[in-house]
DNA sequence: GTGAAAGCGCTAACAC
DNA sequence: GTGTTAGCGCTTTCAC
């Protein structure tokens, strides 16, 4: 193993030298195509044994270069440190593994430039396809991928240029709103008798759909929604907390119901509620779009919407597995409502 | 751009043809080494513009093959869908990015075989180094890496064959135990006056250190620890819940204090506590090794240990950045105690 | 200041 | 049934 001794990793040429076979024979044996080359069983065994004994492992970059494939599959997420996205990552990993691909998951901090450069990097590594989750500008990424002919799909946030698998936000929000209205204590009147929507960014697709779901049901069951009932205060716990404080001051108490648009905002809400007396917030029906185990153990009842990460990813891969489509599709997956 | 028209991606040869320069000049310009080649500024600009206008992006597999580097850095985690590990992932990503490397994070479900095959895959892709977190058998992985001369480091769980950066589990557990004992309501006697340790696997390094920290302080302040006080019931919420139920039955009530060894176990514990009356568990001092935002909002006070993912990763990369060491080191990072 | 050519480790067509 | 050979796209010596 002269080459190995020189510090390099052992290659098929080393194995070829060691066994007296040729590089192509070794290659065929070691990558499984040897049956079609009708290589003798014993030759194959001999080669395999030698390879194993020297700890040979194929150089996947070389293979990738030659076959212009990489065996890698990419995914971008806004952040790892989040229940929903880490759930998606977990499912992505499972699906990738089932296809013999090595998952590369990169986070982009919701930064559009970083999204672009990350996708460029993935493309440069010749990933087989890309799953784009929570992108701020999915279509910019689609254009990049299209340029290099890379299959890709949007998950969670839809785009116009590629198929998308998203949560059925309208349905989930409508259903959650319906339940909150059912739970609402009767009696109060005026602004405090209404429901309020808190958190997220109104421009963002998911939030917009949820606001529509909320408004539709609210309108049908209680009455028209006033703009003051929608507090899309952003994605930070602090902003949600401040929003809650302001709302509480404005109304002179808690409203009949609260629709919190993410666990991130929910954190701020809970922080504020903790400053109140139990009997005060016991009067308020609380719901959160998104799920967290511990949020379900709080000292007041809360209804949560759990998005179906498993189906979202399964559908995404189903589309990637199929031959490319003519026109982008949007598939909506219903979330599940969980009451505590 | 004939090659591009044939469906391939554009290469430096395409750019060379288009600009009339040679492939090596194009290469130098596009990878930044052109100054040392004293290529004329205008030539460089011309080439860069052409490259950009055709949307050229380098084939990183080819570059990697040639330079026997990949620009990838690997990490294995037991699972993505967990606060602690996803926090580590997030920091890993930041550190990798700071070094211009593309992070590849793969989960292994705490399956030893999968750990091995994942590390093999990463090695085959020529990753620059590997961060191993929460491995069941770190030393087996170290041997693999050593075989191929890949730098690597253990995080969270230590190994004997490579340097490790771990949480100071003994200190954290001792400190948590001390606080629980302080909070303990005086008065009771017998088994119920003691603290109980719940969750984790006694054989696992982290759990073992924590049990030692717990026992040392318990011994010093209350008295010897009875084997019956240690319930290392595993990593499943269900097991912890069952463990709690059994303990409660055995003691005829809750003990003076409860040391829960992970948020996973804590989930089961909380599930059980929910079945009790408020004034019953209000008597029990509760602590959890590991942190979760929402766990801090429960209807009883809890002290949590928050591991310092940022410093864990920073130290890990600091070691990877240094020249290889003669003897493996173990660095312990103190966690932070947070009371609610 | 720039080009020609070799080669990274692998695969696949084509020999025989 | 197995060997020879020509690249995959890039970097890097060496030449001029």
């Amino acid at each position: 193993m002269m080459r190995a001794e020189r510090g390099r990793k052992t290659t098929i040429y080393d194995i070829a030298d060691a066994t007296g076979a040729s590089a192509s024979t070794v290659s065929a044996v070691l990558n499984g195509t040897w049956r079609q080359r009708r290589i003798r069983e014993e030759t194959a065994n001999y080669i395999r044994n030698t390879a194993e004994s020297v700890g040979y492992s194929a150089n996947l970059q070389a293979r990738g270069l030659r076959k212009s494939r990489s065996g890698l599959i990419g995914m971008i997420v806004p952040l790892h440190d989040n229940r929903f996205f880490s759930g998606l990552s977990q499912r992505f990993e499972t699906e990738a593994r089932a296809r013999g691909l090595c998952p590369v998951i990169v986070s982009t901090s919701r930064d559009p430039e970083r999204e672009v450069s990350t996708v460029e990097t993935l493309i440069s590594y010749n990933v087989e396809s890309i799953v784009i989750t929570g992108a701020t500008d999915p279509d910019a990424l689609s254009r990049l991928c299209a340029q290099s002919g890379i299959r890709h799909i949007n998950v969670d946030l839809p785009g116009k240029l590629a198929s998308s698998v998203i949560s059925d936000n309208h349905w989930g929000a409508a259903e959650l709103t319906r339940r909150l209205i059912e739970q609402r204590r009767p009696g109060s009147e005026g602004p405090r008798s209404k429901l309020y929507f808190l958190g997220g960014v109104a421009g963002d697709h998911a939030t917009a759909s949820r606001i529509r779901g909320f408004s539709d049901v609210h309108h049908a069951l209680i009455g028209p929604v006033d703009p003051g009932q929608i507090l899309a205060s952003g994605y930070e716990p602090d902003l949600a907390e401040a929003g809650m404080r302001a709302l509480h001051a404005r109304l002179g108490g808690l409203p009949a119901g609260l629709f919190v648009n993410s666990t991130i905002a929910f954190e701020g809400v809970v922080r504020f509620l903790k400053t109140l007396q139990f009997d005060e917030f016991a009067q308020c029906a609380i719901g959160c779009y998104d799920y967290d185990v511990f949020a379900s153990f709080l000292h007041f009842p809360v209804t949560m919407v759990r998005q179906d990460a498993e189906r979202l990813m399964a559908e995404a891969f189903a589309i990637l597995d199929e031959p490319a489509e003519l026109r982008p599709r949007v598939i909506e997956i219903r979330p599940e409502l969980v009451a505590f």
Side-chain angles (χ1 to χ4, degrees), chain A:
Chain A
M1 225 75 330
M2 339 200 62
R3 290 162 128 247
E5 281 171 339
R6 296 211 341 264
R8 323 175 97 73
K9 293 183 54 181
T10 74
T11 71
I12 50 169
Y13 292 99
D14 298 320
I15 315 278
D17 289 352
T19 56
S22 76
S24 50
T25 301
V26 173
S27 170
V29 169
L30 264 25
N31 69 25
T33 58
W34 59 282
R35 300 223 80 107
Q36 18 178 327
R37 287 208 58 166
R38 305 204 223 150
I39 286 165
R40 251 187 292 133
E41 191 100 25
E42 41 178 318
T43 325
N45 286 333
Y46 181 40
I47 291 177
R48 248 194 312 258
N49 291 336
T50 335
E52 191 166 340
S53 74
V54 299
Y56 170 82
S57 79
N59 180 328
L60 261 24
Q61 294 201 98
R63 172 179 298 170
L65 176 58
R66 178 59 235 241
K67 303 178 66 159
S68 14
R69 307 190 55 218
S70 65
L72 299 170
I73 178 164
M75 158 152 151
I76 70 168
V77 294
L79 71 175
H80 290 290
D81 195 5
N82 169 281
R83 272 226 145 73
F84 175 58
F85 290 109
S86 64
L88 285 182
S89 297
Q90 196 65 65
R91 299 306 312 174
F92 173 75
E93 158 115 24
T94 306
E95 299 285 352
R97 223 181 252 289
R99 287 159 183 79
L101 299 170
C102 178
V104 181
I105 309 170
V106 189
S107 79
T108 60
S109 321
R110 297 191 201 278
D111 170 350
E113 278 185 41
R114 191 167 274 191
E115 286 169 3
V116 167
S117 69
T118 302
V119 167
E120 279 172 340
T121 305
L122 292 176
I123 291 175
S124 293
Y125 279 112
N126 266 312
V127 296
E128 316 276 327
S129 41
I130 302 184
V131 173
I132 296 170
T133 77
T136 54
D137 185 1
D139 291 341
L141 305 181
S142 284
R143 275 185 287 269
L144 268 179
C145 291
Q147 225 173 59
S148 321
I150 303 267
R151 308 276 331 249
H152 61 288
I153 188 158
N154 299 304
V155 170
D156 178 45
L157 253 39
K160 300 216 171 313
L161 303 180
S163 288
S164 309
V165 182
I166 63 176
S167 203
D168 191 338
N169 289 298
H170 186 279
W171 183 88
E175 202 55 30
L176 179 57
T177 308
R178 201 184 314 280
R179 300 223 190 167
L180 292 177
I181 291 176
E182 277 170 16
Q183 288 165 33
R184 195 175 56 136
R185 304 282 171 120
S188 56
E189 290 220 340
R192 286 190 58 188
S193 69
K194 297 180 172 176
L195 265 57
Y196 289 75
F197 183 101
L198 193 84
V201 174
D204 149 16
H205 181 278
T207 299
S209 310
R210 292 174 195 171
I211 292 179
R212 259 182 285 113
F214 171 82
S215 303
D216 290 352
V217 171
H218 193 285
H219 188 101
L221 301 184
I222 302 192
V225 173
D226 182 282
Q229 287 173 252
I230 308 293
L231 295 94
S233 48
Y235 281 117
E236 293 296 317
D238 290 349
L239 297 172
E241 186 180 0
M244 268 310 293
R245 197 185 318 284
L247 178 66
H248 185 260
R250 196 173 91 205
L251 299 181
L254 287 174
L258 216 43
F259 183 123
V260 185
N261 189 27
S262 67
T263 46
I264 302 181
F266 195 59
E267 196 186 319
V269 170
V270 176
R271 222 140 68 187
F272 174 72
L273 293 181
K274 266 211 132 180
T275 66
L276 303 181
Q277 296 299 319
F278 177 77
D279 42 335
E280 183 168 1
F281 55 73
Q283 305 299 316
C284 176
I286 298 176
C288 175
Y289 203 113
D290 260 342
Y291 175 82
D292 186 289
V293 214
F294 286 107
S296 63
F297 293 132
L298 296 169
H299 44 330
F300 50 84
V302 52
T303 306
M304 311 201 89
V305 180
R306 194 208 308 245
Q307 303 192 56
D308 192 342
E310 180 164 353
R311 276 200 59 208
L312 283 168
M313 262 313 152
E315 293 289 344
F317 273 82
I319 293 182
L320 289 177
D321 287 342
E322 284 167 15
E325 286 150 325
L326 336 85
R327 285 159 34 77
R329 282 192 289 158
V330 176
I331 297 190
E332 294 194 302
I333 307 286
R334 283 205 179 167
E336 175 195 7
L337 272 80
V338 198
F340 299 99

